[in-house]
Amino acid sequence: MKSRLGRPVVVTALLVLVLLVSAEAWAQSAIVGVVKDSSGAVLPGVTVEAASDALIEKVRAVVTDGNGLYRITDLRPGDYVVNFSLPGFQSLRRDGVQLPSEFTMTLNGDMRVGSLEETITVSGDTPVVDVTTAVHTQVLNRDAMDAIPTGRTIQGLGQLIVGVSLSLPDTGGARAMQQTYMSAHGMTAANNTVMVDGLIVNGLQADGAVQSYFNDAMNQEVSYQTSGISAETSSGGVRLNMIPREGGNNFSGSFSSAYRPGAWQADNLTDRHVASGLRSGNATDRIVDFTATQGGPIRKEKLWFFLTGRYISVNNFIPNTFTDAGDKGIDDQFIKSGLLRLTWQISPKLKFGAYHDEVDKFRGHDMQSGWDFETAATQWFSPAYHTNQAKLSYTASSRLLLEGGFSSNLEYYTNSPQNGLEKVRGTPEWFNNTSKYEFDLGGATRYMIATCATVTTCTPPTVQNPARYNWQGSASYVTGSHNIKTGFQYQTGQFTHGQQTHGDLQQIYRSNSGPTPGVAFSNPSNVIVLNTAGQLYGERLNYDAAIFGQDSWTMNRLTVNAGLRWEALNASVMEGTQPANRWVPEVFYPEIKNVPNWRNFAPRFSMVYDLFGTSKTALKYSLNRYNQARTTGIAENYNAQRLVRTQLTWNDANGDDVAQGFVSYDAANKRTNCVFNTPGCEINFAALPANFGLAAQNTYGGFPRIYNVEQAVEVQHELRSNLSVTGSWFHGAFSNLTSTVNQNLKYEGSDQSQNPFYQTSSVFNPLTGEAIVAYGRRAAFASVATTNVDFVDNTDNRGLFYDSYNFEFRLRPVAGSQVFGGFAIERQQTVDCTTAQDDPNQYRFCDDRVNNIPFRKQFKIAGNYMLKGGIQVSASFQTN
């Protein structure tokens, strides 16, 4: 048995150890406070009970410590009744407590001497300020998710949150089929953490940026955190936790449908657009959404189920694309999903929950503006997503909580081009698998695929199969004034790829005035050669492991939270043999280990001060290090088997519309090119890199892990009942940023006139007439091999800085309603002057600190409001 980190036996042993010894529940919420008598003296030994239908065990109870403090953790969101009792004192009952997810609510108790049977009932407003944690959180409850007009995706809901940006806006659900990516505080989408009930369900693709299409009906509440994130979580982007619906002791279900016709969307196609050749713009044809849920008891107070299914379809018009019949081209697509969750209260202290979510997607025409509708599109018969989890919770005592679980995200992609039509005839058999692109520089763009002998040869699929597995366990010992927490996370996975291209070549045609009437592909220009083969290749996430510990102290009005996280990440490129294609011989690629192999610490610290001791005004400060999230993205960069393409000149000398040319290799894989512009050699291979298809063009420089040190200062105040306002400042500074430089073109001198690889020329700004110095590669270095080295530059030549000033408000006007919003003023400045060492043209704008990058302004407001008679109104507005 090997003991090195990364073997399943180690994972199993750690999980069992945590479950049997200690684990802290990933507490969705908590209720804390101090209990005193009428003289102001603290009362130890008071029994505090939180009762709610949201708890399958109905009641959770603790006892105040010697300082009169209590803390009830791992509470699900919902409506609670809190009871305080102590012999010799009147009981105190607090009604109407609305506890959101991932919120620490302070409820203090003042008890009077009297009979235990006497009860004082207080029905006050629910506290809205968290005076114990510095985590910046926005929670959307079930009513808000149902009512506020969005695409009901995690990204569409996330764009409602102040400080969260999307790569593309999702207006009314128009992006519900094609993911747009969230980011916050200068962190990329890969640094978002997506969880269900505290268990990570991120995908593996794009270092975890690509997510599944979650059915929002599965959730009771959704929590978005953007700053002050604790040591339980690695990254510092958007931390999203979906709190699942479990069913309950009563049968209940729902059905909802939505239809949004494209006619409701405004048309911004102006006469100027039409005059420039745009006959149709990008628009929504229609949106259809059906969702059904059903939940209830299999056995009351023992075993619950929750089931939901969803069908959603968004059809969008493709700009300037038409069918052969003259109709507008439509990007037609739909998603079907089904989820089942079971929750089992094994004993009063032991609870088990599990779910499986199946998501299937179809897309009929993935294509760009101007492409030929019948032949150019790619069909998606996937992805098929599978996310699932199993989680065990054990309440050993009122102070010791244990939890552990498993989750996974599996994705399967198989996408194929449309079958080609007989639009090109008379070509040799081997050419039947090639692709043709026509780019009209006058405005129109066409793409067609040549005739294919069989579907198998015509539609080689693109295959991608990322799989990610996660084990988590954690532990804490909780008292009223002290909260010690430890835990671990362990993730592994594998990402396999496969992609073929017709004939390993694409022919490019260009024209300044448009194609010759009646003749397709009339102006040969270039070819794109590719190193495609047919063999699957891939990368492996050997392990992404972490252990963490954190402590929380409450001293009068001050709460200090300190944590430390240790992380280890290791990935590799899988070995493989790629068969020969037109341009590359058969090559065996050995395994590449330790790309990367990192060990890093991530300290977390925050302080929260209850300014007036009323739990209504909190001063918060946090200082945290977040290590950049990675899975297999770095390993993929150094996988020589990945698809590489190079554009070369093509001169169709004999006019047969076939790009002819060949290369040959000797026993040592040294390449010999055919002589350009001689018979049978119409492709100029001089610009083809010497290592094309034989080795990775990038070399791993063993660089350390990128990290961000973020500071945040916040003032949060309860302005009036159920209304809080928050002012914030965030600052992030990134270190260990990487740069990529081709070592065969690297020049570090300050006088570019002496650069041996480039020569200067002048170009002129057509608006101002300003002369601009431009650099072109000298002819002797046109085909120099690409030997990129990725390395870290921590000098002033490299940097990334983020600043933001936010003002937000949150209002709960009546039960089931919430209104929230505010504005953010933010700026991100990037410095990347190191990369310019192999291309001096990049020096001109490589430092944003001198580029006058402005602050971006963002304003958002959204919410829902319950009127009389069960009528609800809702709206969202944002400007970016």
Side-chain angles (χ1 to χ4, degrees):
M1 179 185 299
K2 295 184 178 180
S3 61
R4 71 177 180 88
L5 184 62
R7 296 300 184 188
V9 65
V10 177
V11 181
T12 305
L14 286 173
L15 183 59
V16 172
L17 179 64
V18 169
L19 289 175
L20 295 180
V21 179
S22 61
E24 197 275 331
W26 294 290
Q28 281 94 31
S29 299
I31 298 177
V32 303
V34 60
V35 183
K36 300 179 180 180
D37 63 16
S38 55
S39 69
V42 298
L43 288 176
V46 177
T47 299
V48 185
E49 296 179 333
S52 173
D53 288 337
L55 300 175
I56 196 169
E57 69 272 36
K58 297 299 185 184
V59 178
R60 191 78 52 80
V62 297
V63 177
T64 58
D65 64 11
N67 297 315
L69 296 168
Y70 75 93
R71 178 185 295 265
I72 310 175
T73 60
D74 192 32
L75 296 176
R76 296 190 58 78
D79 295 330
Y80 281 81
V81 175
V82 181
N83 291 289
F84 302 83
S85 60
L86 179 68
F89 289 82
Q90 297 175 335
S91 296
L92 177 65
R93 175 187 173 95
R94 185 71 181 264
D95 282 339
V97 177
Q98 300 176 25
L99 183 66
S101 61
E102 298 196 316
F103 181 79
T104 301
M105 180 178 292
T106 300
L107 290 180
N108 297 325
D110 294 314
M111 302 185 69
R112 302 175 183 176
V113 175
S115 171
L116 186 63
E117 287 73 24
E118 299 178 72
T119 301
I120 299 176
T121 301
V122 179
S123 298
D125 296 317
T126 300
V128 292
V129 175
D130 186 343
V131 295
T132 64
T133 68
V135 183
H136 193 88
T137 306
Q138 175 68 57
V139 176
L140 300 178
N141 61 21
R142 186 68 256 163
D143 291 320
M145 286 187 283
D146 285 336
I148 298 176
T150 69
R152 294 171 57 199
T153 64
I154 58 175
Q155 296 87 358
L157 292 169
Q159 72 177 343
L160 302 176
I161 311 302
V162 175
V164 174
S165 300
L166 297 189
S167 56
L168 288 171
D170 182 14
T171 305
R175 295 290 305 177
M177 293 289 101
Q178 297 303 314
Q179 290 189 11
T180 180
Y181 299 100
M182 297 182 293
S183 62
H185 297 183
M187 305 292 286
T188 65
N191 290 277
N192 298 332
T193 302
V194 179
M195 300 181 295
V196 175
D197 202 17
L199 292 175
I200 297 172
V201 289
N202 280 72
L204 191 75
Q205 189 175 7
D207 284 322
V210 177
Q211 310 300 340
S212 180
Y213 292 85
F214 296 97
N215 180 354
D216 80 299
M218 66 186 280
N219 303 316
Q220 180 180 347
E221 291 191 346
V222 180
S223 166
Y224 291 83
Q225 296 182 351
T226 55
S227 181
I229 298 171
S230 73
E232 293 175 87
T233 302
S234 176
S235 301
V238 179
R239 179 185 181 273
L240 166 63
N241 191 16
M242 293 172 270
I243 312 303
R245 299 162 78 177
E246 295 184 333
N249 279 319
N250 298 307
F251 289 101
S252 63
S254 65
F255 175 79
S256 64
S257 63
Y259 178 76
R260 301 163 211 173
W264 289 5
Q265 182 180 15
D267 184 1
N268 62 354
L269 189 66
T270 65
D271 292 340
R272 178 174 59 85
H273 293 136
V274 175
S276 67
L278 186 65
R279 294 186 291 161
S280 69
N282 188 13
T284 300
D285 174 38
R286 58 111 176 102
I287 301 176
V288 177
D289 191 350
F290 300 99
T291 304
T293 70
Q294 180 64 54
I298 298 175
R299 182 179 176 185
K300 285 192 174 183
E301 299 183 6
K302 196 72 174 178
L303 181 60
W304 297 347
F305 80 94
F306 180 79
L307 179 67
T308 179
R310 186 182 187 188
Y311 173 89
I312 180 170
S313 174
V314 180
N315 288 354
N316 292 316
F317 292 117
I318 308 167
N320 241 30
T321 299
F322 300 91
T323 67
D324 287 346
D327 299 323
K328 291 182 180 179
I330 293 179
D331 185 2
D332 50 320
Q333 45 196 327
F334 63 81
I335 291 175
K336 299 183 293 184
S337 67
L339 176 144
L340 174 64
R341 169 175 285 276
L342 297 175
T343 304
W344 179 22
Q345 192 72 38
I346 302 172
S347 71
K349 294 186 175 183
L350 188 60
K351 176 182 174 182
F352 175 78
Y355 87 91
H356 179 78
D357 189 13
E358 175 77 22
V359 181
D360 297 312
K361 180 176 180 178
F362 173 80
R363 187 179 190 184
H365 292 82
D366 175 14
M367 58 193 303
Q368 299 298 316
S369 173
W371 289 10
D372 187 86
F373 185 78
E374 279 77 16
T375 64
T378 297
Q379 286 183 310
W380 295 25
F381 299 99
S382 59
Y385 294 93
H386 311 274
T387 64
N388 51 56
Q389 68 174 219
K391 180 178 175 182
L392 191 64
S393 305
Y394 179 59
T395 306
S397 70
S398 61
R399 295 188 174 185
L400 180 60
L401 306 171
L402 307 132
E403 211 167 60
F406 166 81
S407 57
S408 70
N409 183 319
L410 312 179
E411 304 173 16
Y412 302 94
Y413 296 76
T414 303
N415 303 331
S416 302
Q418 296 275 0
N419 293 339
L421 301 182
E422 289 196 27
K423 294 195 173 184
V424 179
R425 300 177 183 273
T427 57
E429 184 69 24
W430 64 265
F431 180 67
N432 285 345
N433 290 340
T434 62
S435 303
K436 288 189 171 187
Y437 294 76
E438 182 160 319
F439 295 97
D440 174 18
L441 302 184
T445 302
R446 286 207 221 168
Y447 165 100
M448 297 183 186
I449 296 176
T451 306
C452 300
T454 66
V455 173
T456 302
T457 58
C458 183
T459 59
T462 298
V463 178
Q464 297 189 83
N465 299 321
R468 187 171 183 170
Y469 307 93
N470 170 64
W471 292 264
Q472 289 178 235
S474 60
S476 81
Y477 185 77
V478 180
T479 68
S481 57
H482 212 48
N483 185 6
I484 301 173
K485 183 182 299 184
T486 62
F488 83 93
Q489 294 162 353
Y490 181 93
Q491 300 178 67
T492 185
Q494 181 173 292
F495 195 173
T496 55
H497 322 258
Q499 183 166 348
Q500 301 179 51
T501 302
H502 301 277
D504 308 315
L505 177 134
Q506 298 164 352
Q507 297 185 181
I508 309 299
Y509 304 76
R510 296 183 185 276
S511 169
N512 286 318
S513 58
T516 302
V519 180
F521 312 118
S522 56
N523 299 282
S525 172
N526 301 89
V527 293
I528 296 176
V529 298
L530 306 101
N531 66 327
T532 54
Q535 189 71 25
L536 286 177
Y537 62 93
E539 303 82 35
R540 182 176 291 111
L541 177 64
N542 297 313
Y543 54 82
D544 181 2
I547 55 175
F548 68 87
Q550 61 185 40
D551 205 347
S552 176
W553 302 269
T554 299
M555 300 164 285
N556 296 323
R557 300 181 189 177
L558 178 67
T559 300
V560 176
N561 302 285
L564 184 63
R565 183 181 179 89
W566 180 82
E567 300 176 331
L569 190 148
N570 185 281
S572 59
V573 177
M574 299 161 59
E575 70 172 35
T577 299
Q578 284 286 6
N581 71 1
R582 286 180 64 186
W583 321 113
V584 182
E586 180 179 293
V587 183
F588 170 74
Y589 300 97
E591 179 185 13
I592 304 175
K593 298 180 179 180
N594 301 324
V595 278
N597 185 27
W598 287 331
R599 306 288 187 274
N600 302 100
F601 285 98
R604 310 288 168 87
F605 176 79
S606 67
M607 297 186 299
V608 182
Y609 186 67
D610 185 355
L611 187 59
F612 303 111
T614 60
S615 302
K616 293 186 176 182
T617 305
L619 305 180
K620 304 182 179 184
Y621 172 76
S622 63
L623 177 64
N624 297 308
R625 167 171 164 157
Y626 304 112
N627 295 321
Q628 186 185 59
R630 287 290 196 175
T631 58
T632 57
I634 291 179
E636 185 179 355
N637 289 337
Y638 308 108
N639 193 336
Q641 303 169 72
R642 67 183 301 196
L643 183 68
V644 179
R645 63 188 71 214
T646 298
Q647 183 166 299
L648 305 175
T649 302
W650 168 36
N651 177 24
D652 188 19
N654 60 9
D656 66 352
D657 201 29
V658 176
Q660 297 167 345
F662 59 90
V663 296
S664 60
Y665 291 85
D666 61 19
N669 281 343
K670 182 178 180 181
R671 189 181 72 226
T672 300
N673 303 328
C674 65
V675 179
F676 183 49
N677 276 336
T678 60
C681 190
E682 299 176 343
I683 302 173
N684 185 3
F685 292 100
L688 188 67
N691 57 347
F692 177 81
L694 300 177
Q697 297 188 6
N698 285 34
T699 300
Y700 179 50
F703 50 81
R705 194 170 191 171
I706 297 174
Y707 67 90
N708 173 30
V709 175
E710 182 181 87
Q711 297 184 71
V713 177
E714 290 194 341
V715 180
Q716 188 176 18
H717 175 64
E718 183 178 320
L719 194 62
R720 67 172 180 81
S721 174
N722 293 324
L723 172 63
S724 69
V725 292
T726 304
S728 312
W729 168 73
F730 306 100
H731 173 75
F734 293 74
S735 297
N736 291 343
L737 296 170
T738 58
S739 295
T740 301
V741 175
N742 186 347
Q743 299 302 295
N744 296 326
L745 295 173
K746 186 177 182 180
Y747 175 70
E748 298 182 78
S750 58
D751 185 0
Q752 291 297 330
S753 66
Q754 302 300 314
N755 191 323
F757 309 109
Y758 287 85
Q759 58 189 2
T760 62
S761 61
S762 294
V763 295
F764 296 89
N765 186 325
L767 299 179
T768 66
E770 175 193 5
I772 300 173
V773 177
Y775 300 87
R777 198 182 299 183
R778 300 180 189 273
F781 300 99
S783 60
V784 66
T786 302
T787 308
N788 292 332
V789 174
D790 302 329
F791 61 98
V792 162
D793 186 351
N794 279 323
T795 70
D796 288 341
N797 288 327
R798 198 72 175 91
L800 178 61
F801 310 95
Y802 174 87
D803 288 281
S804 178
Y805 303 88
N806 292 15
F807 175 80
E808 303 172 58
F809 74 91
R810 298 169 188 173
L811 172 66
R812 293 182 178 270
V814 295
S817 304
Q818 62 175 317
V819 182
F820 56 92
F823 62 82
I825 304 173
E826 59 181 2
R827 179 171 66 182
Q828 180 174 307
Q829 295 175 303
T830 301
V831 181
D832 190 5
C833 298
T834 306
T835 304
Q837 290 175 356
D838 64 1
D839 183 359
N841 292 294
Q842 298 185 42
Y843 277 115
R844 185 173 174 84
F845 298 109
C846 68
D847 190 345
D848 282 347
R849 294 172 298 184
V850 297
N851 288 339
N852 297 319
I853 300 297
F855 279 87
R856 296 183 298 175
K857 305 173 184 65
Q858 177 189 96
F859 174 77
K860 300 180 179 182
I861 185 170
N864 64 299
Y865 189 82
M866 301 296 297
L867 301 174
K868 293 182 179 180
I871 298 174
Q872 184 172 191
V873 295
S874 63
S876 67
F877 174 82
Q878 57 182 297
T879 175
N880 296 287

